[in-house]
């Protein structure tokens, strides 16, 4: 796994900016990124859209669609990643949506997480199931998002 420090250095070196839309991670990704000195040069901001109502209000996702999946789907993650880029006028948008548990809800297994990265005209979506407590899911999802961002930036050509 790549560290938040590696991600910040890469973003600075490539002259890119990042914004985050977080649900199940509840701001943990933003916290990890902003712990790094100098992150303000590349991190534009984030929104915690923990509730379905927040996703509807800030990202204009119809509530009935959110209810069907409890906001946990690849399409929701994609919409958030694209939307957060626009809101913060950033080069890269990342989102984390999921269900940390402890039980299954409406067919969504506890620990199910979708991470989406919108960058360079593409959106990459990764689905994972993380075992462990709610806090474990939140932390591992955030660290995985950082790792995926780092890897994406190091295989893509800068704009």
């Amino acid at each position: 796994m790549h560290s938040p420090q590696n991600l910040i250095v890469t973003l600075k070196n490539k002259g890119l900016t990042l914004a985050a839309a977080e649900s199940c991670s509840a701001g943990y990704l933003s916290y990890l990124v902003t712990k790094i000195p100098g992150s303000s040069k590349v991190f534009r901001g984030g929104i915690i859209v923990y509730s379905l109502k927040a996703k509807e209000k800030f990202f204009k996702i119809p509530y009935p669609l959110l209810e069907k999946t409890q906001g946990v789907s690849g399409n929701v993650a994609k919409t958030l990643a694209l939307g957060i880029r626009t809101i913060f006028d950033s080069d890269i948008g990342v989102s984390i949506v999921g269900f940390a548990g402890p039980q299954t809800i409406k067919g969504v297994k506890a620990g199910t997480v979708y991470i989406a990265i919108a960058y360079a005209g593409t959106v990459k979506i990764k689905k994972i199931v993380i075992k462990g407590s709610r806090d474990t899911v939140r932390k591992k999802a955030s660290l995985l998002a950082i790792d995926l961002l780092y890897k994406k930036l190091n295989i893509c050509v800068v704009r």
Side-chain angles (χ1 to χ4, degrees), residues 135-146:
D135 202 46
T136 297
V137 171
R138 179 172 81 94
K139 289 177 178 178
K140 284 186 176 181
S142 298
L143 290 168
L144 179 59
I146 287 167

Side-chain angles (χ1 to χ4, degrees), residues 12-117:
K12 284 181 184 176
N13 289 343
K14 292 183 180 266
L16 298 171
T17 57
L18 174 67
E22 299 185 66
S23 184
C24 69
S25 55
Y28 197 72
L29 170 65
S30 298
Y31 162 74
L32 290 172
V33 168
T34 59
K35 277 181 31 175
I36 307 304
S39 61
S40 62
K41 291 181 178 13
V42 296
F43 187 69
R44 292 268 170 96
I47 299 176
I48 299 169
V49 285
Y50 200 71
S51 70
L52 298 182
K53 284 288 186 189
K55 290 174 186 73
E56 177 188 44
K57 179 176 180 167
F58 290 103
F59 294 91
K60 310 297 184 227
I61 303 171
Y63 196 81
L65 291 176
L66 291 167
E67 273 189 314
K68 283 183 183 177
T69 63
Q70 290 301 293
V72 181
S73 75
N75 284 334
V76 170
K78 177 181 179 179
T79 300
L80 296 181
L82 290 167
I84 202 71
R85 272 186 75 190
T86 301
I87 290 169
F88 283 98
D89 191 27
S90 64
D91 298 302
I92 305 158
V94 61
S95 70
I96 303 174
V97 300
F99 182 60
Q103 318 80 316
T104 298
I105 186 169
K106 287 199 175 183
V108 180
K109 185 177 177 181
T112 301
V113 175
Y114 291 87
I115 298 169
I117 299 169

